Every structure is written in structure tokens, then in C-alpha cells.
Amino acid sequence: MDPEPLYNLLQAPRQAGPPPEEELPQGEKKKFLPPASRENPKFAELQKVLMEWINAELLPEHIVVRSLEEDMFDGLILHHLFQRLAGTKLEVEEIALTAMNQRRKLEAVLEATNRCLQVEQPTWSVDAIFNKDLLATLHLLLALAQRFQPGLPLPPDVQVEVITMESTKSGLKSEKSVEQLTASSADKDQAAKDVFDELFRLAPEKVGAVKEAIVTFVNQKVERLGLSVQDLDTQFADGVILLLLIGQLEGFFLHLKEFYLTPNSPAEMLHNVTLALELLKDEGLLDYPVRPEDLVNKDSKGTLRVLYSLFCKHKLKDSADRGPRGPPS
């Protein structure tokens, strides 16, 4: 035998494929990406966009991701990414060196992530991520992007062929299926439509009138607290008035230990705004995703989206309460 081709063969990376029968316990199922799916250009582009997004988010921490499959499994990068996106601090060890500690760290990070995303049946798990399951890792990252970076330019209509292996009494059974990772162009365009995108793009001269109406509404609700709002962009950046407004309208009692009444840093402001958005999300009031950083950075569109969600519910409710009690004519 010619030694050169043999050496090259031994050095080549192994393709991911179905495991030997004894590695899959009886009754269990597992998904695999065949080589053709991994070589799909749109699938490769999706990974590239997600890696660039993660690297941009973690640039201040000098963290660089080169492979979603190899770099995400131990929870270290997911830990830093989730903290930056959610504006929160996770009480987990910074560096986990042993496999047992890495798995424990990953479990804690995913538990916090799942609570934040409020996913009832996640398409990822500790086992899948820790075992470098690329499909599960992608589903997790796509859910984070949808929640915290809805404008991320993901390639549309990314589909991959998946092989599902099942261990039965008679041996391994396989089944092929197609899994959708990103929405089609038509669905994406429809989801991207937003009343404030249209307002700022088509009628910017009316933005001032909308702000004025919402300021009037807000002041009617917070004047009993001795507060007054003049500038939506700046006065809602620290989250204090927003939390007090939500408490007034939704009947929440917020203990002073839950938020910073006089925030002294961007991190404390971000904590307040994140809490406010979570309360609104729990009540089903946020139809369009809003990043906490948008409000902290005094983004007009993000602030208006949040306040408009409260305006729509309670202004209409007030109008209905003042209306006639008899049957409609």
C-alpha cells in the first residue's frame, strides 16, 4: 500500500453519522445530520451569520467562536452570551475544567435560558448540547436571536434533511425528514411588519403627535404617584417610571428589593428595563420583540413599542368603561 493516501485517510476528520447499535439504548431516538445536509450552502451561511453575531456580542470580552459544534458545548460561551443578551448575572463558576463541572455549568445556564425564553418544549437539551449536537445548538441560538436580536439577517427558508435513528428490539430503524430552521421569505416579511416601522418610514412627521398622545396617557396614570413625564426617550431609559407605570396599570406590587429605585449604572438600568419587559411579556402585551438595550440607549422606536402596548390595552379599556351600559343601537 502507498503510505501517503493511507496517512491522509487516517488524518481526515470523521463525518458525523448514526452510532453503532450498542451506543443507542433500546427505545430511544436520536437525530443526525447526514453529510449532504452539512454541506448545504444555506446551512453553512446560517452558521456563519450566527457565529458573526455571537462574536460581535462577545467582542468586548475578547471571546471568539470558530465552530458552533465545538465551542458551545461546555456552557462557557453560552454563559457569557446569555449574560450580555439578558443583562443579568448568573451565579455559576466562570471556568469549569472537568466534564462533570462543565455539564453542571451548562445545566445551570440552560435552566436560566429556558426560563427567559419561556419555551414549553425546547428542541434542545443538556445532553444534546453537551454531546455537540449541532442541530440542537442551532435551535437554541436561533431562539436566542429571535428573542434578543429579531432583526438579525438570517438566511430565509433554511431546511435540512435529518435522519432519526430509533433503537428497537429488532435493531436500528431510520427515518428521513426535513427540519425547518428559519422562516421562508414570505413568512419573514409578514412577521417583520410593525406599526412603528411603518410610522417612522412612511410618516415620520406624525411621530411627534403619537409621542404627545402617549405622554398624556402616561401622565394621567402616574400623576397620583407625584410623577410627570416630559420626554419619553430619556425618562424611560432607567426603567423606574416604566416599572411604576406597569404596577399601576396591571396591579403589580413591586418590592423595592426587586429593582433599583435610583439606578446608578447602566447595568442597574438594564436590570430594571429587563424586569419590566418580562412582566409585559408574561401578560402577553408585547406583540413585537423589544431589546432591553434599546430602551436604555434611548431608542425612540423601542420605547414607543413598549408604551404603545400598554396604551392599547388600557386606553381602550378606559373608553369601554366610560361607554354606555345599554345594548348597542
Side-chain angles (χ1 to χ4, degrees):
M1 294 179 64
D2 186 350
E4 185 67 21
L6 178 61
Y7 175 80
N8 291 337
L9 178 64
L10 292 173
Q11 296 303 312
R14 292 187 302 163
Q15 291 286 354
E21 186 172 340
E22 64 271 15
E23 291 185 14
L24 191 62
Q26 187 173 317
E28 288 194 10
K29 294 182 179 181
K30 193 169 184 180
K31 292 180 180 179
F32 298 92
L33 286 170
S37 294
R38 292 172 175 270
E39 295 164 6
N40 184 326
K42 293 182 74 173
F43 185 67
E45 176 65 17
L46 175 62
Q47 294 179 71
K48 180 174 179 288
V49 171
L50 288 172
M51 277 193 288
E52 289 176 349
W53 168 57
I54 295 170
N55 288 333
E57 290 286 346
L58 299 180
L59 181 63
E61 300 183 42
H62 308 289
I63 294 175
V64 178
V65 174
R66 293 185 173 87
S67 167
L68 298 180
E69 208 164 6
E70 296 294 331
D71 294 346
M72 309 298 292
F73 81 97
D74 62 358
L76 174 63
I77 292 175
L78 284 173
H79 172 204
H80 285 265
L81 179 64
F82 178 72
Q83 285 192 149
R84 287 194 67 83
L85 293 176
T88 188
K89 177 75 173 174
L90 296 182
E91 296 300 327
V92 296
E93 56 186 315
E94 185 64 30
I95 303 295
L97 298 178
T98 67
M100 184 175 66
N101 289 342
Q102 289 173 344
R103 186 184 177 86
R104 186 165 60 240
K105 176 186 176 82
L106 176 64
E107 188 174 358
V109 173
L110 287 185
E111 184 180 346
T113 303
N114 292 344
R115 277 201 310 270
C116 177
L117 295 176
Q118 296 183 328
V119 180
E120 294 182 2
Q121 295 181 329
T123 49
W124 56 86
S125 66
V126 175
D127 284 340
I129 302 295
F130 193 70
N131 290 324
K132 303 181 183 181
D133 185 322
L134 180 57
L135 198 59
T137 303
L138 285 172
H139 278 300
L140 171 60
L141 294 175
L142 287 169
L144 286 169
Q146 183 179 7
R147 168 67 176 83
F148 295 105
Q149 191 73 40
L152 190 67
L154 299 170
D157 202 22
V158 178
Q159 299 176 329
V160 288
E161 185 181 81
V162 177
I163 298 175
T164 303
M165 304 294 297
E166 181 180 8
S167 178
T168 66
K169 290 182 179 180
S170 57
L172 285 176
K173 288 186 177 180
S174 66
E175 181 180 272
K176 288 185 178 181
S177 61
V178 174
E179 194 152 330
Q180 190 85 27
L181 292 175
T182 63
S184 66
S185 299
D187 293 339
K188 197 172 181 181
D189 290 342
Q190 186 174 2
K193 281 190 174 181
D194 171 71
V195 62
F196 286 103
D197 283 336
E198 299 294 308
L199 176 66
F200 276 74
R201 183 170 63 90
L202 300 176
E205 72 281 357
K206 296 183 179 179
V207 172
V210 173
K211 284 186 175 182
E212 185 177 341
I214 293 182
V215 164
T216 301
F217 162 75
V218 170
N219 282 330
Q220 288 173 350
K221 305 302 177 183
V222 300
E223 62 183 359
R224 71 191 72 177
L225 301 175
L227 300 173
S228 176
V229 172
Q230 307 298 326
D231 189 329
L232 291 184
D233 299 342
T234 60
Q235 288 184 263
F236 284 88
D238 62 7
V240 176
I241 294 180
L242 179 57
L243 284 169
L244 295 175
L245 176 64
I246 293 172
Q248 285 286 304
L249 295 175
E250 298 294 321
F252 290 136
F253 174 77
L254 295 172
H255 197 280
L256 289 178
K257 292 182 179 179
E258 295 182 78
F259 70 103
Y260 298 96
L261 189 59
T262 55
N264 295 314
S265 68
E268 293 179 355
M269 295 165 65
L270 193 62
H271 169 87
N272 285 355
V273 174
T274 301
L275 173 60
L277 295 185
E278 290 300 325
L279 291 174
L280 293 176
K281 190 175 179 182
D282 289 344
E283 294 299 302
L285 293 179
L286 279 182
D287 295 328
Y288 195 96
V290 178
R291 286 165 49 91
E293 293 85 353
D294 292 343
L295 272 70
V296 174
N297 294 329
K298 303 173 185 177
D299 176 71
S300 292
K301 200 184 296 185
T303 305
L304 280 173
R305 282 193 183 110
V306 172
L307 295 174
Y308 186 69
S309 68
L310 289 165
F311 176 85
C312 284
K313 176 180 178 180
H314 292 279
K315 190 69 174 178
L316 291 175
K317 180 177 180 295
D318 291 347
S319 300
D321 290 344
R322 289 196 298 268
R325 297 293 180 180
S329 59

